[in-house]
Amino acid sequence: MQRETWINLAILLGLILVPLWAVVMDEPFTITLTTKVVILALAGVGLNIALGYGGLVSFGHAAFFGVGGYAMGVLASHAQSYTPMQIGALEVEGTKSMLIIWAVAIVFSGITALFIGALSLRTSGVYFIMITLAFGQMLYYFAISWPAYGGEDGLSIYVRNGFPGLNTLDPIQFYCICFVLLCAALLVSARLSSSSFGLALHGARQNAERLEAVGVRPFKLRLTAFVISGMITGLAGALFADLNRFVSPTMFSWHTSGEIMIFVILGGVGRLFGPVVGAALFILLEHWLGGISDFWQFYLGLILLAVVLFARGGVIGTLAGREVAHD
Amino acid sequence: MTMVLLIEQILNGLQLGVMLFLMSAGLTLVFGVMGLINLAHGSLYMVGAFACAAVATATGSFFLGLLASLAAAAAAGAIVEMTVIRRLYARDHLDQVLATFALILVFSEGTRWMFGSFPLFLDVPDLLSGPISLPGGIQYPLYRLAIIVVGLCVAAGLFWLIAKTRLGIRIRAGESDRDMIAALGVDISRLYTIVFALGAALAGLAGALVGAIQSVQVGMGEPVLILAFVVIVIGGIGSIKGALIGALLVGLTDTLGRALLPTVFGYFMDPINATTVGASLASMLIYILMAGVLLWRPSGLFKVA
């Protein structure tokens, strides 16, 4: 087996052992922290498909994260106030069922990604970075100025949504849900990368002209990757909202986009487990530095700077070497 | 809406546009010459505002504060360029985005460390306080008018610098062919530092000027930074002319949209809905404008070849 596979297995083992230890030691906070890591990693796995495999530097993935979050917020808030939604003449009941919420989050973030992608992919390079940023900001300001669902204050959901057969308010049971979803997303990501679609996508990143010359249109490939990427990040948004039982426009802000991007780059762009390592490291640093100093972001900035300047290829790139071609 | 109010709003839009130009000029130059996306440009804006507020409070002179803002932002820019930015020119945009994002964290927290979390106080100088009467019976704050004038003067100065001076020739040469100008014996790394410091000084000046009408606080640069990105993308990255047109376009669209849209929607909707829809649409308007421009011209209005 390659060294990267061993590293990936070690990471998976860590994600199983840490919460197990926390249950034995009765440390619910550690479980919650690990849950946060897993959910943010899921968002990163989504972005990694566009950024790592497709080479599409999206600075607006907060849009999908936010759409997922608001899908949960809107549905659950209607359910907890027992008022149906009015969509034109149609009346739709809210719901507290996670399964339905996930489906809605995935569908709506997919539609959003299709719309944003179809417009943004007409441009490339810096323009692509900027236009995705602009779409993210557009939704951010929309969420702030739309008063029906809390506006700037956001929405509080009092009870976590339900999953058949599980008590989601128990931290370890909610963790298990998130962990299984992360594993599923990693499986999708791995299968995608090695499928013929994935190979063509890698080709579009490395040399779009050559791909066109053999008769494959990069636009369609990229758009499909962008939509899948948005859907996974949207699902993460719904879970994140459920973790905090709170949704706010911050989920749409460009800081969120930046952070999701940091997870991917910190772990290693285009590496299957890159976002997982990145999110874990980021949350750990945040937690650890936050305990040391009030100005922890100052040190976080310095560490990030050092990673970009000196540890190219992220953590996995440094540990496993350059086995995956990056250009 | 009366004519007087409309003219006032147009002037406000111009003032925002001129400020945005000061921000975007540096951003677009740095991208045009060095090919670098600098997210930390908003931090230099903040450095300018804090330097101005600190010096103005210590000496009592707003104009000394303005000089301090130019000096502090230029110095911060030069230091950052020599220590960090220089290593990023050869990297891809992804690394540049992440590194300058990290710089924002360092700058923001560093400023909070030095000055605390509370906004600083920066007052409009006595000489420029109060309203001025414009023809047509319009009362407009003198300070805002002064910002428009200063901004337009700086814009004119910048165009002169780029078009007529030796430095400008080198900057334009750097934009069209970096390797060639280095081969011709121009100290390219010094040129880069100068361009970066120049852009930083302009951002610092903008921060100081706006600081007197808004609050001087940590994080003040970020909303402006995003607007400046919208400006340079609309104008075409690397083009100073595009930055000027884009800045005025964004300034006017944003200000007039916020002022007019709720009224416009009022004509065919009930008032409460009109205010909500109008306000939400107004806050998204410049992003819609940007998306529209990019769809029409995927490399901005004035693309640099």
Side-chain angles (χ1 to χ4, degrees), chain A residues 42-105:
Chain A
L42 182 63
V45 169
L47 177 63
N48 199 25
I49 292 176
L51 182 68
Y53 302 162
L56 308 169
V57 185
S58 161
F59 206 163
H61 256 55
F64 316 126
F65 197 63
V67 166
Y70 269 86
M72 174 275 181
V74 169
L75 285 174
S77 75
H78 279 286
Q80 78 183 4
S81 63
Y82 300 105
T83 48
M85 250 178 291
Q86 291 282 350
I87 307 171
L90 214 67
E91 277 202 356
V92 182
E93 296 281 338
T95 178
K96 295 287 280 180
S97 155
M98 273 190 192
L99 290 171
I100 300 177
I101 287 173
W102 293 345
V104 172

Coordinates of all heavy atoms in Angstrom, one line a residue, chain A residues 42-105:
Chain A
L42 N -16.6 17.5 5.9 CA -17.5 17.2 4.8 C -17.7 18.4 3.9 O -17.6 18.2 2.6 CB -18.9 16.9 5.5 CG -20.0 16.4 4.5 CD1 -19.6 15.1 3.8 CD2 -21.3 16.2 5.3
A43 N -17.8 19.6 4.4 CA -17.8 20.8 3.5 C -16.6 20.8 2.7 O -16.6 21.2 1.5 CB -18.0 22.0 4.4
G44 N -15.4 20.5 3.3 CA -14.2 20.6 2.6 C -14.1 19.5 1.5 O -13.6 19.8 0.4
V45 N -14.6 18.3 1.8 CA -14.6 17.2 0.8 C -15.4 17.7 -0.4 O -15.0 17.4 -1.6 CB -15.2 15.9 1.4 CG1 -15.5 14.9 0.3 CG2 -14.3 15.4 2.5
G46 N -16.5 18.4 -0.2 CA -17.3 19.0 -1.3 C -16.4 19.9 -2.1 O -16.3 19.8 -3.3
L47 N -15.8 20.9 -1.4 CA -15.0 21.9 -2.2 C -13.8 21.2 -2.9 O -13.5 21.6 -4.0 CB -14.5 23.0 -1.2 CG -13.6 24.0 -1.8 CD1 -14.3 24.8 -2.9 CD2 -13.0 25.0 -0.8
N48 N -13.3 20.2 -2.3 CA -12.1 19.5 -2.9 C -12.4 19.0 -4.3 O -11.5 18.9 -5.1 CB -11.6 18.4 -2.0 CG -10.2 18.0 -2.3 OD1 -9.4 18.8 -2.8 ND2 -9.9 16.8 -1.9
I49 N -13.7 18.6 -4.5 CA -14.0 18.0 -5.8 C -13.9 19.1 -6.9 O -13.3 18.9 -8.0 CB -15.4 17.4 -5.8 CG1 -15.4 16.2 -4.9 CG2 -15.9 17.1 -7.2 CD1 -16.8 15.6 -4.7
A50 N -14.4 20.3 -6.5 CA -14.2 21.4 -7.5 C -12.8 21.9 -7.6 O -12.2 22.1 -8.6 CB -15.2 22.6 -7.1
L51 N -12.2 22.2 -6.4 CA -10.9 22.8 -6.3 C -9.8 21.9 -6.6 O -8.9 22.2 -7.4 CB -10.8 23.4 -4.8 CG -9.5 24.2 -4.5 CD1 -9.5 25.5 -5.3 CD2 -9.4 24.4 -3.0
G52 N -9.8 20.7 -6.0 CA -8.7 19.8 -6.1 C -8.7 19.0 -7.4 O -7.7 19.0 -8.2
Y53 N -9.9 18.4 -7.7 CA -10.0 17.6 -8.9 C -10.2 18.5 -10.2 O -9.6 18.2 -11.2 CB -11.1 16.6 -8.8 CG -11.0 15.7 -7.6 CD1 -12.1 15.0 -7.2 CD2 -9.8 15.5 -7.0 CE1 -12.1 14.1 -6.1 CE2 -9.7 14.7 -5.9 CZ -10.9 14.0 -5.4 OH -10.8 13.2 -4.4
G54 N -11.1 19.5 -10.1 CA -11.4 20.3 -11.2 C -10.5 21.5 -11.4 O -10.6 22.2 -12.5
G55 N -9.7 21.9 -10.4 CA -8.9 23.1 -10.5 C -9.8 24.4 -10.5 O -9.3 25.4 -11.0
L56 N -11.0 24.3 -10.0 CA -11.9 25.5 -10.0 C -11.8 26.1 -8.6 O -12.3 25.6 -7.7 CB -13.3 25.0 -10.3 CG -13.5 24.2 -11.5 CD1 -14.9 23.6 -11.5 CD2 -13.3 25.0 -12.7
V57 N -11.1 27.3 -8.6 CA -10.9 27.9 -7.3 C -12.1 28.7 -7.0 O -12.3 29.9 -7.3 CB -9.6 28.9 -7.4 CG1 -9.4 29.5 -6.0 CG2 -8.4 28.1 -7.9
S58 N -13.0 28.1 -6.3 CA -14.3 28.7 -5.9 C -14.1 29.4 -4.6 O -13.8 28.8 -3.6 CB -15.4 27.7 -5.8 OG -16.5 28.2 -5.1
F59 N -14.3 30.7 -4.6 CA -14.2 31.5 -3.3 C -15.6 31.8 -2.8 O -15.9 32.7 -2.1 CB -13.5 32.8 -3.6 CG -12.8 33.4 -2.4 CD1 -11.8 34.3 -2.5 CD2 -13.1 33.0 -1.1 CE1 -11.2 34.9 -1.4 CE2 -12.5 33.5 0.0 CZ -11.5 34.4 -0.2
G60 N -16.6 31.0 -3.3 CA -18.0 31.2 -2.9 C -18.7 30.0 -2.4 O -19.9 29.9 -2.5
H61 N -18.0 29.0 -1.8 CA -18.7 27.8 -1.4 C -19.5 28.0 -0.2 O -20.3 27.2 0.2 CB -17.7 26.7 -1.2 CG -17.7 25.7 -2.3 ND1 -17.5 26.1 -3.6 CD2 -18.0 24.4 -2.4 CE1 -17.7 25.0 -4.4 NE2 -17.9 24.0 -3.7
A62 N -19.3 29.2 0.5 CA -20.2 29.5 1.6 C -21.6 29.6 1.1 O -22.6 29.4 1.9 CB -19.8 30.8 2.2
A63 N -21.8 29.9 -0.2 CA -23.2 30.0 -0.7 C -23.9 28.7 -0.5 O -25.1 28.7 0.0 CB -23.1 30.4 -2.2
F64 N -23.2 27.6 -0.8 CA -23.9 26.3 -0.7 C -24.0 25.8 0.7 O -25.0 25.2 1.1 CB -23.1 25.2 -1.5 CG -22.7 25.8 -2.9 CD1 -21.4 25.8 -3.3 CD2 -23.7 26.4 -3.7 CE1 -21.1 26.3 -4.5 CE2 -23.4 26.9 -4.9 CZ -22.0 26.9 -5.3
F65 N -23.0 26.1 1.5 CA -23.0 25.9 2.9 C -24.2 26.6 3.6 O -25.0 26.0 4.3 CB -21.7 26.4 3.6 CG -21.4 25.8 4.9 CD1 -21.2 24.5 5.1 CD2 -21.3 26.7 6.0 CE1 -20.8 24.0 6.3 CE2 -20.9 26.2 7.3 CZ -20.7 24.8 7.4
G66 N -24.4 27.8 3.2 CA -25.5 28.6 3.7 C -26.8 28.1 3.2 O -27.8 28.0 4.0
V67 N -26.9 27.8 1.9 CA -28.2 27.3 1.4 C -28.6 26.0 2.2 O -29.8 25.9 2.6 CB -28.1 27.0 -0.1 CG1 -29.3 26.2 -0.6 CG2 -28.1 28.3 -0.9
G68 N -27.7 25.1 2.4 CA -27.9 23.9 3.2 C -28.4 24.3 4.6 O -29.4 23.7 5.1
G69 N -27.7 25.2 5.2 CA -28.1 25.7 6.6 C -29.5 26.2 6.6 O -30.3 25.9 7.5
Y70 N -29.8 27.1 5.7 CA -31.1 27.7 5.7 C -32.2 26.7 5.3 O -33.3 26.9 5.7 CB -31.1 29.0 4.8 CG -30.7 30.2 5.6 CD1 -29.4 30.6 5.7 CD2 -31.7 31.0 6.1 CE1 -29.1 31.7 6.5 CE2 -31.4 32.1 6.9 CZ -30.1 32.5 7.1 OH -29.8 33.5 7.8
A71 N -31.9 25.7 4.5 CA -32.9 24.7 4.2 C -33.3 24.1 5.5 O -34.5 23.9 5.8 CB -32.3 23.6 3.3
M72 N -32.3 23.8 6.4 CA -32.7 23.2 7.7 C -33.4 24.2 8.5 O -34.5 23.9 9.1 CB -31.4 22.8 8.4 CG -31.5 22.3 9.8 SD -31.5 23.7 10.9 CE -31.7 22.9 12.5
G73 N -32.9 25.5 8.5 CA -33.5 26.5 9.4 C -34.9 26.8 9.0 O -35.8 26.8 9.9
V74 N -35.2 26.9 7.7 CA -36.5 27.3 7.3 C -37.5 26.2 7.5 O -38.6 26.4 8.1 CB -36.5 27.7 5.8 CG1 -37.9 27.8 5.2 CG2 -35.7 28.9 5.5
L75 N -37.1 25.0 7.2 CA -38.1 23.8 7.4 C -38.3 23.6 8.9 O -39.5 23.4 9.3 CB -37.4 22.5 6.8 CG -37.5 22.5 5.2 CD1 -36.7 21.2 4.8 CD2 -38.9 22.4 4.8
A76 N -37.3 23.6 9.7 CA -37.4 23.3 11.1 C -38.2 24.5 11.8 O -39.0 24.2 12.7 CB -36.1 23.1 11.7
S77 N -38.0 25.7 11.4 CA -38.7 26.8 12.0 C -40.2 26.8 11.8 O -41.0 27.1 12.6 CB -38.1 28.2 11.6 OG -38.5 28.5 10.3
H78 N -40.5 26.3 10.5 CA -42.0 26.2 10.2 C -42.6 25.0 11.1 O -43.7 25.1 11.5 CB -42.2 25.9 8.7 CG -42.2 27.2 8.0 ND1 -43.2 28.1 8.0 CD2 -41.2 27.8 7.2 CE1 -42.9 29.1 7.2 NE2 -41.7 29.0 6.7
A79 N -41.7 24.0 11.2 CA -42.2 22.8 12.0 C -42.4 23.2 13.5 O -43.4 22.8 14.1 CB -41.3 21.7 11.8
Q80 N -41.5 24.0 14.0 CA -41.6 24.3 15.4 C -42.6 25.3 15.8 O -43.1 25.4 16.9 CB -40.2 24.6 16.0 CG -39.7 26.1 15.8 CD -38.3 26.3 16.4 OE1 -37.7 25.4 16.8 NE2 -37.9 27.5 16.3
S81 N -43.0 26.1 14.8 CA -44.1 27.1 15.0 C -45.4 26.6 14.5 O -46.4 27.3 14.6 CB -43.7 28.4 14.4 OG -43.7 28.3 13.0
Y82 N -45.4 25.4 13.9 CA -46.7 24.8 13.4 C -47.4 25.6 12.3 O -48.6 25.7 12.3 CB -47.6 24.4 14.5 CG -47.0 23.4 15.5 CD1 -46.6 23.8 16.7 CD2 -46.9 22.1 15.1 CE1 -46.0 22.9 17.6 CE2 -46.3 21.2 16.0 CZ -45.9 21.6 17.2 OH -45.3 20.8 18.1
T83 N -46.6 26.4 11.6 CA -47.2 27.2 10.5 C -46.7 26.7 9.2 O -45.5 26.5 9.0 CB -46.8 28.7 10.6 OG1 -45.4 28.8 10.8 CG2 -47.5 29.4 11.8
P84 N -47.6 26.4 8.2 CA -47.1 25.9 6.9 C -46.5 27.1 6.1 O -46.8 28.3 6.4 CB -48.4 25.4 6.3 CG -49.5 26.1 6.9 CD -49.0 26.5 8.3
M85 N -45.6 26.7 5.2 CA -45.0 27.7 4.3 C -46.0 28.0 3.2 O -46.7 27.1 2.7 CB -43.8 27.1 3.7 CG -42.5 27.7 4.1 SD -41.1 26.7 3.4 CE -41.3 25.2 4.2
Q86 N -46.0 29.2 2.7 CA -46.8 29.6 1.5 C -45.9 29.8 0.4 O -45.1 30.7 0.3 CB -47.5 30.9 1.8 CG -48.6 30.9 2.9 CD -49.9 30.2 2.3 OE1 -50.0 30.0 1.1 NE2 -50.8 29.9 3.2
I87 N -46.0 28.9 -0.6 CA -45.2 29.1 -1.8 C -46.2 29.3 -2.9 O -46.8 28.3 -3.4 CB -44.3 27.9 -2.1 CG1 -43.4 27.6 -0.9 CG2 -43.4 28.3 -3.4 CD1 -42.6 26.4 -1.0
G88 N -46.5 30.5 -3.3 CA -47.6 30.8 -4.2 C -48.9 30.3 -3.6 O -49.3 30.7 -2.5
A89 N -49.6 29.4 -4.3 CA -50.9 28.9 -3.8 C -50.7 27.7 -3.0 O -51.6 27.2 -2.3 CB -51.8 28.6 -5.0
L90 N -49.4 27.2 -3.0 CA -49.1 25.9 -2.4 C -48.8 26.1 -0.9 O -48.1 27.0 -0.5 CB -47.9 25.3 -3.1 CG -47.8 23.8 -3.3 CD1 -48.9 23.3 -4.2 CD2 -46.4 23.4 -3.8
E91 N -49.3 25.1 -0.1 CA -49.0 25.2 1.3 C -48.1 24.0 1.6 O -48.4 22.8 1.3 CB -50.2 25.1 2.2 CG -50.9 26.4 2.3 CD -51.8 26.5 3.6 OE1 -51.9 25.4 4.2 OE2 -52.3 27.5 3.9
V92 N -46.9 24.3 2.2 CA -45.9 23.2 2.5 C -45.7 23.2 4.0 O -45.4 24.2 4.6 CB -44.6 23.4 1.7 CG1 -43.7 22.2 2.0 CG2 -44.9 23.5 0.2
E93 N -45.8 22.0 4.6 CA -45.6 21.9 6.0 C -44.1 21.8 6.2 O -43.3 21.3 5.4 CB -46.2 20.5 6.5 CG -47.7 20.4 6.4 CD -48.4 21.1 7.6 OE1 -47.7 21.4 8.6 OE2 -49.5 21.5 7.4
G94 N -43.6 22.4 7.4 CA -42.2 22.3 7.8 C -42.0 20.9 8.2 O -42.9 20.0 8.3
T95 N -40.7 20.5 8.5 CA -40.5 19.2 9.0 C -39.3 19.2 10.0 O -38.5 20.1 10.0 CB -40.1 18.3 7.8 OG1 -39.8 17.0 8.3 CG2 -38.9 18.8 7.0
K96 N -39.3 18.2 10.8 CA -38.2 18.0 11.8 C -37.4 16.8 11.5 O -36.6 16.3 12.3 CB -38.7 18.0 13.2 CG -39.4 19.2 13.7 CD -38.4 20.3 14.0 CE -37.7 20.1 15.3 NZ -36.7 21.2 15.6
S97 N -37.7 16.2 10.3 CA -37.0 14.9 9.9 C -35.7 15.2 9.2 O -35.7 15.9 8.2 CB -37.9 14.1 9.1 OG -37.1 13.2 8.3
M98 N -34.6 14.8 9.7 CA -33.3 15.0 9.1 C -33.2 14.5 7.7 O -32.7 15.2 6.8 CB -32.2 14.3 9.9 CG -31.7 15.1 11.0 SD -30.2 14.4 11.7 CE -30.0 15.3 13.2
L99 N -33.8 13.4 7.4 CA -33.7 12.8 6.1 C -34.3 13.7 5.0 O -33.7 14.0 4.0 CB -34.4 11.4 6.1 CG -33.6 10.3 6.8 CD1 -34.5 9.1 7.0 CD2 -32.3 10.0 6.2
I100 N -35.5 14.2 5.3 CA -36.1 15.1 4.4 C -35.3 16.4 4.2 O -35.1 16.9 3.1 CB -37.6 15.5 4.8 CG1 -38.4 14.2 4.9 CG2 -38.2 16.5 3.9 CD1 -39.8 14.4 5.4
I101 N -34.8 16.9 5.4 CA -34.0 18.2 5.4 C -32.8 18.0 4.5 O -32.4 18.9 3.7 CB -33.7 18.6 6.8 CG1 -34.9 19.1 7.5 CG2 -32.6 19.6 6.8 CD1 -34.8 19.4 9.0
W102 N -32.1 16.8 4.7 CA -30.9 16.6 3.9 C -31.2 16.6 2.4 O -30.5 17.3 1.6 CB -30.3 15.3 4.2 CG -29.7 15.2 5.6 CD1 -29.5 16.2 6.5 CD2 -29.4 14.0 6.3 NE1 -29.0 15.7 7.6 CE2 -28.9 14.4 7.6 CE3 -29.4 12.6 6.0 CZ2 -28.5 13.4 8.5 CZ3 -29.0 11.7 6.9 CH2 -28.5 12.1 8.2
A103 N -32.3 15.9 2.1 CA -32.7 15.9 0.7 C -32.9 17.3 0.1 O -32.4 17.7 -0.9 CB -33.9 15.0 0.5
V104 N -33.7 18.1 0.9 CA -34.0 19.4 0.5 C -32.7 20.3 0.3 O -32.5 21.0 -0.6 CB -35.0 20.1 1.4 CG1 -35.2 21.6 1.1 CG2 -36.3 19.4 1.4
A105 N -31.8 20.1 1.4 CA -30.6 20.9 1.3 C -29.7 20.5 0.1 O -29.2 21.4 -0.6 CB -29.8 20.6 2.6

